[in-house]
Amino acid sequence: MADRRLQVFHAVAKHGSFTRAAEHLFMTQPAVTFQIKQLEEHFNTRLLERGHGRVSLTPAGEIVMAYAERILDMSEELESRVSELTDELAGTLTIGTSTTIAAYWMPRLLEPFKRKYPRVIPRVVVGNSALTEARVTARELDIGLIEIVTDQPAIERRTVARDELMVICQPGHPLSGEASLEAIDLMGYPFITRDPGNAIRELAEKFFESAGISMDQLIICAEIGSLATVKYLASCGLGYGIASRAAIQRDLREGRLAAIPLEPRLYTPLEVIIPKDKFRSRLIATFADHVVEVLGRMAEEIDPSNESVAD
């Protein structure tokens, strides 16, 4: 509903970059530049200063930015209010999710929601939990699904369930026959760890540290952002990894991986996060409720002890 030029201008000003604005809007950079040029021609003045790798607002740009934020907020509220009257959810829903949730949980969350609300367009952005949390805090995402417990005051969180973390390795690996593994048991073997900011990496580091083992005492053989790559390298015998139980169900059934519980048991939370002071459209609220219901049910199917976790 809002003027597309204002939407593009707002994104460029907020991100301080034509390139990052284009990525956020799923546009090409020339298309972003064209929209800004049209807006500047409309007002017959320069709105943005370009230089030193970053964009800044001119005095006129500051005024346009202030009004753009108000107009865009009102436009979003208008769309939601009218949609509520028609009793049909529609529009774009921008969802941030961690790599593990994207790989296993997200497809089964989206399929029933899309069938019920076909006019909703989910736009899923995958990144580690820390990045997703930051983008929800900055209101770049409508909703986030993460594996860390956030204490950000600008975020409303709902703990849905938990997912057990397990050591994964090639069947036949020396670790594969153990009933459970303590931190000390893992020290002599190559470890395929995750990227900085990844929730599973942070929990694994705390697991070792609580046993008095620092990360520089471990044999780190790779640092991988992709869950699929971690599983593949582990299945090839290059080392062991730590992954969530939900993410390895098919690999276990098909015999590609062995999984061993940690001792003490280690769990990652499954959290739904929303900007606390953002206008809460019915679309966002409905999807959040849907995630809590479906994710909780899925988690309980995998691990019955999840029944009492969701709050």
Side-chain angles (χ1 to χ4, degrees):
M1 188 74 182
D3 191 313
R4 183 61 169 168
R5 295 171 300 178
L6 282 181
Q7 293 174 333
V8 173
F9 171 78
H10 181 268
V12 173
K14 187 174 182 180
H15 292 280
S17 162
F18 281 75
T19 301
R20 286 196 291 274
E23 292 171 353
H24 176 73
L25 296 169
F26 298 91
M27 296 172 63
T28 64
Q29 187 169 329
V32 169
T33 302
F34 176 74
Q35 294 286 343
I36 297 299
K37 182 174 181 291
Q38 280 203 325
L39 192 63
E40 289 182 327
E41 289 177 353
H42 174 81
F43 288 112
N44 195 30
T45 187
R46 183 177 292 277
L47 302 175
L48 299 168
E49 295 289 358
R50 294 86 159 165
H52 306 292
R54 186 163 180 85
V55 172
S56 60
L57 293 169
T58 65
E62 295 278 2
I63 295 172
V64 174
M65 182 62 173
Y67 277 93
E69 288 184 334
R70 290 162 60 185
I71 292 168
L72 293 174
D73 284 346
M74 291 183 69
S75 177
E76 180 183 348
E77 184 173 350
L78 172 62
E79 295 281 356
S80 298
R81 297 290 184 179
V82 173
S83 177
E84 288 172 10
L85 287 175
T86 63
D87 200 31
E88 182 178 6
L89 290 182
T92 300
L93 181 67
T94 308
I95 309 160
T97 176
S98 71
T99 51
T100 297
I101 293 175
Y104 178 77
W105 308 93
M106 186 56 70
R108 294 176 64 186
L109 288 172
L110 290 181
E111 187 269 336
F113 193 80
K114 275 292 294 180
R115 288 190 183 280
K116 189 171 183 180
Y117 305 108
R119 293 186 60 202
V120 173
I121 303 172
R123 181 177 288 164
V124 179
V125 180
V126 180
N128 62 47
S129 289
L131 177 60
T132 300
E133 178 190 41
R135 295 193 68 181
V136 171
T137 303
R139 301 177 186 82
E140 296 173 4
L141 299 170
D142 295 320
I143 188 169
L145 280 64
I146 60 174
E147 300 167 274
I148 55 177
V149 176
T150 179
D151 57 1
Q152 283 279 359
I155 284 180
E156 176 186 321
R157 53 174 281 263
R158 296 171 72 176
T159 302
V160 181
R162 65 182 186 178
D163 195 358
E164 184 175 8
L165 297 183
M166 308 183 81
V167 170
I168 58 169
C169 59
Q170 184 183 54
H173 188 282
L175 297 173
S176 65
E178 300 294 330
S180 63
L181 292 164
E182 297 182 14
I184 191 71
D185 300 325
L186 300 170
M187 286 190 64
Y189 300 95
F191 178 29
I192 306 164
T193 189
R194 303 298 297 274
D195 56 317
N198 182 279
I200 292 177
R201 174 178 170 138
E202 292 180 3
L203 288 168
E205 289 179 354
K206 290 178 182 176
F207 174 78
F208 285 109
E209 288 167 5
S210 66
I213 299 171
S214 63
M215 295 307 292
D216 57 13
Q217 292 178 272
L218 300 176
I219 305 171
I220 305 295
C221 70
E223 187 176 278
I224 306 293
S226 163
L227 170 63
T229 303
V230 172
K231 293 196 295 182
Y232 179 77
L233 294 180
S235 71
C236 292
L238 296 184
Y240 73 89
I242 293 178
S244 76
R245 180 192 286 198
I248 58 174
Q249 293 299 297
R250 183 172 179 179
D251 303 276
L252 296 178
R253 286 196 304 269
E254 297 179 359
R256 286 190 294 271
L257 288 172
I260 310 94
L262 291 162
E263 185 60 44
R265 294 294 180 100
L266 188 62
Y267 296 90
T268 180
L270 300 175
E271 300 256 314
V272 177
I273 57 174
I274 305 170
K276 187 174 289 182
D277 57 351
K278 183 181 175 67
F279 168 73
R280 189 65 46 79
S281 71
R282 191 164 67 94
L283 174 55
I284 294 173
T286 301
F287 185 72
D289 290 342
H290 169 80
V291 171
V292 169
E293 178 189 351
V294 176
L295 197 60
R297 186 169 65 244
M298 290 169 61
E300 188 181 340
E301 290 172 2
I302 296 170
D303 181 0
S305 67
N306 266 301
E307 185 176 4
S308 60
V309 171
D311 58 25

